[in-house]
């Protein structure tokens, strides 16, 4: 468990299957929270995301897979920086343009949000691809142990999961960019136990270029959800998928912090 804010709960309604909470200081919708809010997440539900945004509960995601991704993000970014000329043709840039990788501002230096001018949406990008000194594309870095999920029927690396497309497209929209560069490092199971020994190369690292999704309908739906639930201090209805989480919430004893 990453944090326990159950003291913010005001009521748990078993009939409506809703949790009421103090709506003070609600967090923003980030790229990882967007897909589950829209009912498209693999690991979270709209109910669990609402609790996260309210600061009540967030599942501890410090698994070896997440840790490996954090360790290898700068390694992969550096690898792309050394081979950035590949992006000129992949992004359809004119010959003679000079591409580079713009490092993201560290989270601890920006309040863990790169989009302070936004009220509802925010988050941290993995970097930008620049062309002749101007931002041209969002950089989204992923690690994966499932190569086949990224491959199309011809064996080319073109597939990107919908939740990843939503995440990166949100950051592209907020950055006023149209292109996304997915940099994917493929790990074997043993690599997750020793990620510092893994090194990117042409075989285990692939670049996938995508145009951002039309985010207007997705962002409107998410903002409407945010205003309906978060601003009013209540969660959406929990489902059977949330039963263990509800049990945990009910175990809280008032007065304990």
């Amino acid at each position: 468990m990453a944090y326990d804010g159950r003291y913010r709960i005001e009521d748990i309604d078993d009939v409506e299957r809703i949790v009421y909470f103090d709506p003070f200081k609600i967090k923003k919708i980030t790229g990882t929270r967007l897909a589950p809010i829209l009912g498209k997440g693999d690991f979270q539900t709209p109910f669990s995301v609402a609790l996260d945004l309210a600061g009540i509960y967030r599942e501890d995601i410090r698994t070896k897979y997440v840790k490996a991704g954090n360790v290898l993000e700068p390694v992969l970014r550096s690898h792309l920086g050394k081979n950035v000329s590949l992006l000129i043709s992949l992004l359809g840039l004119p010959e003679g343009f000079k591409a580079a990788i713009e490092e993201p501002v560290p989270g601890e230096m920006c309040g863990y949000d790169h989009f302070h001018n936004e009220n509802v949406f925010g988050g941290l990008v993995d970097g930008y691809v620049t062309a002749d000194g101007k931002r041209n594309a969002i950089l989204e870095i992923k690690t994966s142990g499932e190569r086949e999920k990224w491959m199309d029927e011809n064996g080319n690396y073109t597939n990107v999961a919908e939740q990843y497309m939503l995440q990166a497209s949100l950051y592209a929209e907020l950055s006023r960019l149209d292109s996304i560069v997915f940099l994917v490092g493929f790990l074997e199971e043993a690599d997750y136990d020793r990620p510092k020994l893994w090194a990117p190369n042409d075989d285990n690292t692939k670049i996938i270029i995508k145009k951002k999704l039309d985010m207007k309908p997705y962002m409107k739906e998410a903002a409407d959800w945010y205003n309906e639930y978060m601003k009013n201090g209540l969660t959406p209805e929990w489902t059977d998928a949330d039963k263990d989480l509800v049990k945990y919430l009910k175990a809280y004893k008032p007065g304990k912090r």
Side-chain angles (χ1 to χ4, degrees):
M1 181 184 61
Y3 51 74
D4 186 348
R6 287 178 290 181
Y7 61 89
R8 299 188 65 181
I9 294 174
E10 295 181 343
D11 187 31
I12 299 178
D13 189 330
D14 283 311
V15 176
E16 298 293 333
R17 308 184 88 178
I18 287 172
V19 172
Y20 293 89
F21 56 86
D22 177 0
F24 176 71
K25 203 173 181 180
I26 300 301
K27 301 173 187 176
K28 291 183 181 182
I29 298 174
T30 61
T32 53
R33 292 170 179 145
L34 180 60
I37 286 173
L38 301 174
K40 300 176 182 295
D42 291 336
F43 306 108
Q44 289 182 285
T45 65
F47 176 77
S48 67
V49 172
L51 296 178
D52 180 9
L53 288 168
I56 294 172
Y57 171 86
R58 183 186 182 193
E59 185 177 357
D60 192 338
I61 56 172
R62 292 174 295 180
T63 66
K64 67 178 183 179
Y65 303 103
V66 173
K67 290 178 181 177
N70 292 336
V71 168
L72 293 175
E73 179 184 319
V75 174
L76 284 160
R77 188 164 45 238
S78 176
H79 173 75
L80 183 61
K82 295 172 184 176
N83 298 275
V84 73
S85 60
L86 294 172
L87 295 175
I88 297 297
S89 60
L90 291 175
L91 288 169
L93 297 171
E95 289 187 21
F97 268 53
K98 184 178 180 181
I101 302 302
E102 179 184 333
E103 296 272 338
V105 176
E108 60 272 16
M109 295 180 62
C110 63
Y112 294 92
D113 185 13
H114 287 149
F115 303 99
H116 287 284
N117 292 331
E118 299 290 333
N119 294 322
V120 174
F121 299 95
L124 294 170
V125 305
D126 293 337
Y128 294 96
V129 177
T130 64
D132 279 7
K134 294 183 179 179
R135 289 177 177 174
N136 182 274
I138 281 285
L139 174 61
E140 184 65 33
I141 299 174
K142 299 295 183 187
T143 54
S144 174
E146 300 176 292
R147 278 180 179 254
E148 64 280 359
K149 288 190 175 182
W150 298 81
M151 298 169 68
D152 59 28
E153 62 276 9
N154 297 317
N156 298 316
Y157 293 89
T158 61
N159 289 339
V160 178
E162 184 177 25
Q163 61 184 356
Y164 294 157
M165 280 299 301
L166 286 167
Q167 176 185 7
S169 294
L170 174 63
Y171 295 151
E173 179 73 21
L174 296 178
S175 301
R176 296 174 175 79
L177 297 172
D178 293 324
S179 298
I180 304 165
V181 174
F182 285 94
L183 180 63
V184 190
F186 294 105
L187 279 65
E188 301 296 334
E189 187 63 27
D191 296 323
Y192 287 103
D193 296 318
R194 298 179 297 278
K196 292 183 179 180
L197 299 181
W198 184 88
N201 56 47
D202 291 343
D203 178 62
N204 65 20
T205 305
K206 301 298 178 182
I207 297 170
I208 302 175
I209 307 295
K210 291 288 186 181
K211 288 295 183 182
K212 74 171 182 183
L213 302 172
D214 178 3
M215 292 304 294
K216 290 182 176 60
Y218 295 114
M219 292 175 71
K220 182 182 185 306
E221 182 179 346
D224 288 347
W225 179 96
Y226 189 88
N227 290 329
E228 178 182 356
Y229 294 111
M230 307 313 301
K231 291 292 185 67
N232 290 312
L234 71 157
T235 67
E237 181 179 334
W238 71 68
T239 67
D240 289 344
D242 303 302
K243 61 182 180 181
D244 290 338
L245 180 49
V246 174
K247 182 179 179 181
Y248 169 79
L249 298 178
K250 289 181 176 181
Y252 174 67
K253 303 299 181 183
K256 290 179 62 179
R257 277 185 143 184

